């Protein structure tokens, strides 16, 4: 995971360390060891590396100025542990990006009135249906009852796919005919859940390009009619900046509350999570780390940043 970005961050740390060591010998106490001009070149390289690693431009700018601020003019501390200080500066700057809202999913589900209506949105093939199955499994594991709503009435085969997951997990799917109004499916699933005292409805919607006006209107209708407690945007880490643009668009049209980022296991770049968290200011709930039902980790900014700064392969 994230091999490229991790290597670039390590190179940056080494370059700065070297500069400090070279200059440190010739400098009197109290004098600035690193000036802006010492940092320009390495920071430019770091900037390029971040951009190449799918970190969005606005985020890169914020990160670079954060790191610069941390590093310029630190004189005394340098003698202690240069590498540690550089890493610390990058770590702080990265963590700052995630300073949006937080959301504890378990607690959210525990404390909401039942049934809780959770609608999943995103483009095709990113892992929505798989993530729904993973979330269902997680909820079942913590003692909740779950109903699935097959509100992807657009793609042939969508209902069969979700039915297979439901049968593996031993839960019910509410479905209508192909081409039916997806808002009605979610509405019915909520009705069923109320009548049968189920805790959570997980609604799978048709994958849609954020540019498809019709499908986006349908999504709006689902939200207007069924008033979800939570709208979760799903996208894949490997999509990079496309995912960021899509997250913004879905947020604009229906208002997303949180994201799930899938396929982190096959992402070498590592920047998408940083970009999505920053550009939507919404929490990332989970990371998808494989195709199995158990392959989903709660998102933790510190964990991600530590992976990016770790020396070892993860
Ligand atoms: N490697 C990997 N594959 C995933 C992950 N999540 C989903 N997939 C795969 O991505 C493909 C599309 O997933 P699907 O749930 O059908 O996407 P949807 O169209 O958004 O509903 C399937 O082959 C999934 O097994 C993940 O976290 N890691
Ligand atoms: Mg699907």
């Amino acid at each position: 995971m994230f091999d490229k970005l991790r290597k670039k961050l390590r190179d940056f740390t080494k370059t700065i360390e070297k500069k400090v060591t070279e200059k440190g010998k010739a400098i009197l106490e109290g004098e600035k060891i690193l000036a802006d001009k010492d940092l320009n070149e390495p920071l430019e390289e770091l900037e390029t590396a971040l951009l190449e690693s799918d970190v969005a431009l606005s985020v890169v700018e914020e990160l670079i100025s954060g790191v610069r601020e941390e590093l310029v003019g630190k004189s005394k501390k340098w003698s202690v542990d240069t590498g540690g200080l550089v890493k610390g500066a990058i770590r702080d700057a990265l963590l700052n990006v995630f300073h949006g809202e937080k959301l504890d999913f378990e607690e959210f589900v525990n404390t909401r009135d039942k049934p809780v209506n959770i609608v999943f949105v995103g483009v095709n093939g990113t892992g929505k249906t798989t993530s729904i199955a993973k979330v269902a499994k997680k909820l079942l594991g913590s003692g909740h009852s779950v109903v699935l709503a097959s509100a992807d009435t657009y793609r042939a085969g969508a209902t069969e796919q979700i039915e297979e997951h439901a049968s593996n997990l031993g839960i019910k799917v509410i479905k209508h005919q192909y081409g039916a109004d997806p808002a009605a499916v979610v509405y019915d699933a909520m009705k069923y859940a109320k009548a049968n005292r189920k805790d959570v409805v997980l609604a799978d919607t048709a994958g849609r390009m954020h540019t498809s006006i019709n499908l986006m209107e349908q999504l709006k209708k689902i939200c207007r009619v069924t008033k979800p407690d939570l709208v979760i945007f799903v996208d894949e880490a490997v999509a990079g900046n496309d995912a960021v643009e899509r997250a913004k668009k879905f947020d604009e049209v229906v208002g997303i509350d949180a994201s799930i980022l899938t396929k982190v296991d096959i992402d070498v770049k590592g920047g998408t999570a940083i970009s999505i968290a920053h550009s939507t200011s919404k929490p990332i709930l989970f990371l998808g780390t494989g195709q199995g039902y158990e392959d989903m980790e709660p998102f933790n900014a510190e964990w991600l940043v530590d992976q990016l700064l770790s020396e070892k392969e993860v």
Side-chain angles (χ1 to χ4, degrees):
M1 271 189 277
F2 319 138
D3 290 350
K4 279 191 193 162
L5 183 53
R6 206 172 59 244
K7 182 176 177 310
K8 300 285 184 185
L9 291 169
R10 202 165 56 224
D11 289 350
F12 176 75
T13 309
K14 293 232 166 80
T15 310
I16 301 292
E17 264 181 72
K18 203 164 147 242
K19 272 188 188 285
V20 172
T21 319
E22 280 164 6
K23 299 195 97 192
K25 286 177 192 148
I27 259 165
L28 297 168
E29 197 183 329
E31 208 169 325
K32 285 180 183 178
I33 289 189
L34 283 180
D36 262 329
K37 66 175 172 29
D38 299 311
L39 285 170
N40 287 343
E41 207 184 306
L43 278 178
E44 261 168 37
E45 275 167 27
L46 183 64
E47 191 170 354
T48 311
L50 289 166
L51 286 171
E52 281 172 357
S53 301
D54 285 344
V55 182
L57 181 62
S58 58
V59 190
V60 172
E61 283 168 354
E62 200 177 305
L63 280 171
I64 295 292
S65 72
V67 174
R68 184 190 291 278
E69 221 166 85
E70 274 297 308
L71 292 182
V72 170
K74 294 256 157 94
S75 55
K76 293 207 177 111
K77 284 192 204 152
W78 283 118
S79 54
V80 186
D81 169 14
T82 315
L85 209 65
V86 181
K87 253 194 194 177
I90 300 176
R91 192 170 193 278
D92 289 350
L94 284 169
L95 281 175
N96 259 334
V97 174
F98 293 104
H99 268 171
E101 299 162 49
K102 289 215 166 90
L103 182 67
D104 182 329
F105 184 68
E106 277 293 322
E107 190 189 304
F108 181 85
V109 170
N110 284 336
T111 52
R112 292 300 276 206
D113 287 343
K114 306 294 180 301
V116 183
N117 178 12
I118 306 181
V119 172
F120 292 72
V121 303
V123 305
N124 244 331
T126 52
K128 270 185 313 302
T129 306
T130 310
S131 297
I132 286 170
K134 291 174 179 178
V135 171
K137 169 107 187 177
K138 190 174 263 308
L139 287 168
L140 292 171
S142 55
H144 296 288
S145 48
V146 180
V147 180
L148 303 182
S150 178
D152 179 354
T153 58
Y154 183 71
R155 192 174 61 88
T159 294
E160 287 73 13
Q161 192 192 357
I162 200 161
E163 276 181 325
E164 194 183 325
H165 288 304
S167 120
N168 292 342
L169 296 165
I171 52 181
K172 184 163 177 74
V173 186
I174 302 298
K175 59 180 180 180
H176 285 192
Q177 279 182 344
Y178 174 71
D181 180 356
V185 183
V186 183
Y187 187 84
D188 276 359
M190 284 297 283
K191 211 163 78 182
Y192 174 89
K194 270 180 210 145
N196 294 277
R197 300 182 150 270
K198 302 291 181 192
D199 296 329
V200 186
V201 169
L202 301 177
D204 192 12
T205 63
R208 62 204 67 221
M209 284 313 288
H210 46 302
T211 44
S212 155
I213 295 169
N214 253 349
L215 286 170
M216 284 309 240
E217 284 302 318
Q218 271 190 352
L219 262 193
K220 275 197 208 168
K221 185 173 175 193
I222 294 176
C223 294
R224 198 172 63 236
V225 172
T226 75
K227 303 204 168 31
D229 294 281
L230 202 62
V231 175
I232 298 182
F233 170 74
V234 180
D235 216 314
E236 50 190 18
V238 284
N241 281 317
D242 286 349
V244 178
E245 289 310 310
R246 300 194 287 237
K248 281 195 221 159
K249 191 69 194 173
F250 275 92
D251 192 29
E252 222 174 272
V253 176
V254 286
I256 63 172
D257 300 303
S259 306
I260 291 179
L261 206 56
T262 63
K263 307 188 191 177
V264 170
D265 51 310
I266 50 170
D267 177 35
V268 290
K269 294 183 171 177
T272 310
I274 300 170
S275 304
I276 285 199
H278 187 266
S279 61
T280 62
S281 307
K282 301 285 158 62
I284 296 176
L285 286 180
F286 299 108
L287 298 178
T289 54
Q291 298 187 305
Y293 291 143
E294 306 282 348
D295 298 330
M296 190 175 73
E297 302 293 328
F299 176 77
N300 176 325
E302 265 121 34
W303 176 85
L304 179 78
V305 171
D306 285 341
Q307 301 310 306
L308 289 173
L309 294 175
S310 92
E311 301 279 330
K312 288 188 300 249
E313 291 232 344
V314 279

